[in-house]
Every structure is written in C-alpha cells, then in structure tokens.
Amino acid sequence: MTGNKLVDGTQSQPSTSSSLSRSQRDVPRAQEAIYNYLLEIVKEWSPEDVLAEFKHLFIHHVNTISSHTVPLLYEIVFANQEQEFRNTLKRSCYILINNWDITRSHRSIQQLIQLFNDPILSRNTMSPTSQRLRSWIRAFIKSKDFQELQLFAARYEEREHIHWSQRYASYLLVPQYIDLKNPIEQRQAARTLSKQLKDKFKFDLAMYTARSETTSPAKSTYKNPTALGDEALRLVKLIVAKRGMFSYNNFANIFINQTQHLPYSDFKKSLQKYLIFSVEHHDYAKALKTQLAEKLAVLYTNRDHQVIDDALLLRTCNRVIDYLTTENQAEPASLFILLLSHGNPLTLVIVLLKIVLICKYSRTHLESRIANLVSYYQECPEEECKWVINFFEIFRVIMAIYTENIEFNLVNMNPSEKNLSSEVKLNQAIDAYRIFSQPTQRLKSEQSSSEPDEVEPGLSEFDGTDSSSSMSTSG
C-alpha cells in the first residue's frame, strides 16, 4: 500500500517516535530506529517506494523521505563499527524480505538483491563518509552474509540459469535458521523459504511421477524436478517398491522398541548392527562396521552404564551423522568419501535415512551437514562433481518419499506379475507398475516444526556444542 502523498507530491513521513537527540544517540538506538522505520514503511508503502527508500538510505545514503534516517546511519559510520553496519544492513534486508514474502511480493525480493549491483558502489567519492560506506558495502557483497541473502532471490530465477548448488537451497538455508547469532528476521525468513522449497519439490516430484506415464512427454506440463534424468522415475518406483517389501519404518520401530531400556554401551552395539543391516555391498558393509565400531566405542563412554534416553539418542544420532557426512562442518568425512567414490550413493542415503527414522529430531542436524557438503563442492563445475550431485539428488528424493507428508504407492498394471519376492523379479517387473501419490493424514505435531531456539528436553545434561541442531523438523 502506498503511503499518503502531500499536495506537492512528496510522501508523508511515517509517524515514528524513534528520532534521537544528539545526547541520546548511540549505535544500538540508531539500529533500532532504522528497523522500526523500515517495519513501518514496508507495511504502509508500495514495494516500489520502499525499494527507493532503501536505495537512498543504504546505497546512496542521501535524500530519504524521512530526514532522520540518514543521520542514524551516520551514527554507525562515525562510530567506525563496520560489523554493526553489516548487521544493520543484513537485518534490514530480512525485515523487508519477511514482509514481502507474506504479501507475495516476490519480485520485490529479487529487486532488493539487485540494488547491490548499483555501479555507484564502485565509484570513488570525495566524501570520506561515503567512501567508508561504499567500501563496507563492497565487503558485504563479498561476504557469506550476502551469499545467504542471494538464496532468497535465486528461487525465482529460471532453473537453467542457476548454479547447480542452488537446487539444494532448502538445505543451504538450514544453517541460517539454526544459528542463534543470526537476527530473528533472517532465521524466520530462512525457515519459511526452506519449507516452501521442500514443499514445492515434493509436490513437483509427486506430480511428475504420477503424470509422466499417463501423458506423452510433449504434452506433460510437469517437468522432472530432479537432475537424475529418465532414471528418476525408475528410482522412485524401486524405492517405493522396496519400502513396501522391506519397510525401513517398521525396522526403525522395532529397533526403538527393543533398545529403549538398554544400557548405552549395549545400545551403541545394537545401533551399529541396525545401520549396517541390509547394506548389500559386502566391502562397504565391512568398512561401515569397522569404522562405526571404532567411533561408537569411544563415544560418550561416561554414559555407558546409563539407560538410553531421548537426549542421549539425539546426541548419538547427530554424531553418527557427522561420521557419515562431515566431522568438521567443512570437509567431507572419510566414510563419506569411501562410500561415494566407489560405491552406490543409495547405500549411504539409506543409512542416513535409517538414522532419521529412529530420531526425527536429528533431521535438522542432517540437513545442516548436507548444506556443509553442498558448500564444500559448490566451487566445482557440475561436470566434475556429478558423482556427489547424484548423491544429493537421491538424498532429497528418498527424504521426500519416506519423511514427507505425501504417500507414494505402486499399482500393478500387469496382473500377471503378482509375485515380486526377489530383487531380480522386482527389477524386471517394475516397468509394469505406475506410481500414485496422495497426502497422508499426519498429526499436527509431526507436520509442524518447533521454534528455531527450541531443543529436545534433556539436552541440558550435556555440553552445548550442538544445541543449535537439536530441533524438531517438519515431516
């Protein structure tokens, strides 16, 4: 909504009460005044007017409608606090992004990011204050903060024009919303967008698999949402068929029931067997068994005589996820490299799935580690890292099938093929089946996520090294 216009065509100021006298001014108050101003105008003005005001304030830092906002920005500059300026700029962006997402002004989010391409930022100026501001903004554009900000605009770009890593933006957003040091606006925006992207993928996957065999490719309006090519449909069928014959959900429930009263030392041995069970490749099963046994043997040994509880289960599952993905949140773990370099990525994905099925609260931690891996490989050209991209694709397909609120089912279109009792038979007959999908009726508590700073009860007994990963996630 556009703000009120005066007779001379200028725009009226919002009636903010946050202007500061010289004696009262300090950086925190200046920041709060800027946030309040942006919150007010984003609700009252049109997106075009808000973008112009943002540009005048942060890019050109002149001629804002409100006469007190530029001096507020100068308070931060005169204090020579670059980090506080960056925090102010970042939070201001997320205030606008959150509000525009609510009103579905998605184009405005793209335009906001595009403001940072203004050529004025690279020009020299005689003003020391302007020069300092421009250098700070240029540094911000090169920072991780700006890369995170760009994720909110990338979703609206044509799929063919985005970097391959942007296909996994739903995971790249996870570290943003679990980081308690980020402003609440950023965490809310990241959480909302991550869920929207997951919902879109599972919907597109359901539509593609359901319609791909009922309409000709030329007439189908649903594109393959994966990068797996024509094999995507067959993979989904095989996964769904194996779920029916050999349910990982059922095995997870059996494992939980059989281990809930075990001492922790016995639980770790059972966990190792549970994760390795059904790993088809003997060499990889042996490697998994050996390395997991070594890791688990020394894990939380001071708890070995304690009966397993939810907090200890969560902490253990998170550690095993680290062993299988990245232990330092930067480089791939040795087990990750081993299982992917010479093996089938499906093996590793299934092991990770089995962890989430016995501890749903570990899913956020897992997705955060997937984000670490995407970030590690994103500098590689797509042609050079197809092997790891294949893993990411299979991972999100399996997670959509097993842990989301859409149920995939196979229907036999060839009545003569009734017995799928063997793996060979399944592979031969799978083309006779079609996929149908439908929403599942799940409890509200399983469909919604806890707030970003909520942790599973009982974690206070441990150190806080990964409390940011201890949240429930939507199914």
Side-chain angles (χ1 to χ4, degrees):
M1 180 173 65
T2 304
N4 297 325
K5 299 280 185 176
L6 299 180
V7 175
D8 62 2
T10 61
Q11 192 154 16
S12 63
Q13 290 185 32
S15 58
T16 178
S17 60
S18 54
S19 58
L20 305 171
S21 70
R22 232 174 246 284
S23 61
Q24 292 175 316
R25 280 181 179 169
D26 57 33
V27 169
R29 289 195 180 199
Q31 291 173 312
E32 197 62 33
I34 291 173
Y35 302 148
N36 290 338
Y37 178 69
L38 292 174
L39 272 170
E40 191 164 354
I41 67 173
V42 77
K43 294 176 181 177
E44 295 183 0
W45 295 5
S46 69
E48 293 77 14
D49 290 337
V50 174
L51 283 166
E53 190 75 343
F54 182 94
K55 180 178 181 179
H56 291 154
L57 176 61
F58 285 107
I59 308 300
H60 294 175
H61 30 271
V62 292
N63 302 327
T64 55
I65 297 298
S66 173
S67 61
H68 77 277
T69 52
V70 172
L72 290 169
L73 187 65
Y74 285 163
E75 279 298 316
I76 305 172
V77 181
F78 294 152
N80 199 24
Q81 296 189 26
E82 181 177 359
Q83 186 57 53
E84 289 306 319
F85 169 78
R86 182 176 295 186
N87 293 341
T88 306
L89 179 57
K90 182 170 75 165
R91 185 171 178 182
S92 297
C93 289
Y94 286 109
I95 286 173
L96 302 185
I97 287 172
N98 274 326
N99 282 274
W100 283 333
D101 185 66
I102 292 172
T103 59
R104 298 187 180 278
S105 301
H106 297 146
R107 175 61 182 160
S108 302
I109 297 175
Q110 280 185 299
Q111 293 173 329
L112 174 65
I113 308 303
Q114 290 168 1
L115 290 180
F116 291 91
N117 295 325
D118 196 311
I120 198 173
L121 295 174
S122 59
R123 296 175 189 164
N124 290 325
T125 173
M126 298 299 292
S127 167
T129 303
S130 296
Q131 190 65 30
R132 178 180 293 175
L133 272 168
R134 290 178 186 179
S135 67
W136 285 358
I137 295 175
R138 290 196 298 267
F140 173 74
I141 292 171
K142 296 177 182 178
S143 71
K144 181 182 177 183
D145 288 331
F146 188 70
Q147 291 177 1
E148 293 175 344
L149 199 61
Q150 288 178 303
L151 290 174
F152 293 85
R155 65 176 298 197
Y156 307 112
E157 297 176 8
E158 290 295 326
R159 182 177 172 185
E160 293 77 9
H161 299 151
I162 65 174
H163 189 269
W164 68 260
S165 62
Q166 296 300 311
R167 294 199 291 264
Y168 315 108
S170 62
Y171 303 126
L172 292 171
L173 289 160
V174 175
Q176 291 191 50
Y177 72 71
I178 67 175
D179 187 349
L180 301 181
K181 292 181 289 187
N182 283 333
I184 186 63
E185 292 86 358
Q186 179 181 1
R187 295 170 61 209
Q188 289 174 341
R191 191 180 187 84
T192 298
L193 179 54
S194 179
K195 186 178 186 306
Q196 289 173 349
L197 292 174
K198 288 178 188 174
D199 288 345
K200 184 178 188 307
F201 177 76
K202 68 186 179 185
F203 175 81
D204 290 346
L205 182 66
M207 291 285 76
Y208 168 72
T209 54
R211 302 293 179 86
S212 58
E213 295 179 309
T214 58
T215 59
S216 65
K219 295 181 179 179
S220 177
T221 58
Y222 295 98
K223 296 181 179 179
N224 184 350
T226 77
L228 297 173
D230 295 337
E231 286 299 309
L233 188 63
R234 186 173 181 83
L235 173 65
V236 172
K237 285 183 177 181
L238 288 171
I239 293 170
V240 174
K242 291 181 74 171
R243 184 185 64 176
M245 296 172 58
F246 199 73
S247 173
Y248 294 112
N249 301 79
N250 288 341
F251 275 100
N253 290 330
I254 292 171
F255 173 81
I256 293 170
N257 291 331
Q258 290 182 344
T259 60
Q260 58 184 337
H261 301 301
L262 286 181
Y264 185 56
S265 57
D266 293 338
F267 170 82
K268 289 188 289 185
K269 295 175 184 176
S270 297
L271 177 63
Q272 173 193 316
K273 294 177 182 177
Y274 163 73
L275 295 177
I276 295 171
F277 182 74
S278 79
V279 173
E280 297 169 2
H281 198 295
H282 176 72
D283 290 340
Y284 298 124
K286 186 177 180 180
L288 264 176
K289 180 178 180 180
T290 301
Q291 295 198 34
L292 282 181
E294 293 175 357
K295 299 280 190 181
L296 290 172
V298 296
L299 183 64
Y300 303 132
T301 52
N302 60 322
R303 304 278 176 171
D304 277 348
H305 299 294
Q306 175 183 322
V307 174
I308 187 72
D309 59 20
D310 289 343
L312 193 49
L313 171 66
L314 171 61
R315 201 46 87 90
T316 303
C317 288
N318 286 354
R319 294 289 71 75
V320 175
I321 287 170
D322 292 345
Y323 303 150
L324 295 168
T325 54
T326 169
E327 296 187 67
N328 61 6
Q329 302 181 37
E331 299 173 332
S334 58
L335 265 175
F336 180 84
I337 298 295
L338 174 67
L339 293 174
L340 288 196
S341 58
H342 301 293
N344 187 337
L346 185 60
T347 298
L348 177 55
V349 173
I350 292 299
V351 174
L352 293 171
L353 169 68
K354 290 165 79 173
I355 296 173
V356 173
L357 291 178
I358 63 171
C359 184
K360 66 178 182 179
Y361 296 103
S362 283
R363 185 175 176 187
T364 299
H365 187 83
L366 171 58
E367 292 179 348
S368 178
R369 295 297 172 260
I370 295 297
N372 296 148
L373 292 170
V374 173
S375 297
Y376 177 83
Y377 287 104
Q378 67 181 357
E379 297 301 323
C380 299
E382 186 167 1
E383 291 298 317
E384 295 180 12
C385 58
K386 283 190 173 180
W387 60 278
V388 75
I389 292 176
N390 202 36
F391 162 77
F392 295 139
E393 290 295 327
I394 293 174
F395 177 84
R396 64 176 182 162
V397 167
I398 287 186
M399 286 297 164
I401 292 174
Y402 274 93
T403 64
E404 299 291 0
N405 54 353
I406 290 183
E407 181 179 354
F408 292 81
N409 296 287
L410 285 180
V411 175
N412 189 356
M413 308 305 290
N414 184 358
S416 63
E417 294 284 358
K418 292 184 179 295
N419 182 16
L420 296 181
S421 57
S422 71
E423 193 77 13
V424 174
K425 189 90 170 181
L426 172 62
N427 279 281
Q428 291 175 344
I430 200 68
D431 292 333
Y433 284 71
R434 285 186 182 173
I435 301 174
F436 293 86
S437 57
Q438 61 183 4
T440 59
Q441 298 298 321
R442 301 175 62 184
L443 294 176
K444 185 177 180 181
S445 61
E446 293 179 347
Q447 292 175 327
S448 61
S449 302
S450 63
E451 291 304 309
D453 53 358
E454 181 179 338
V455 298
E456 179 70 355
L459 285 181
S460 58
E461 299 176 12
F462 298 87
D463 63 88
T465 54
D466 62 354
S467 59
S468 64
S469 302
S470 307
M471 303 169 296
S472 68
T473 59
S474 59

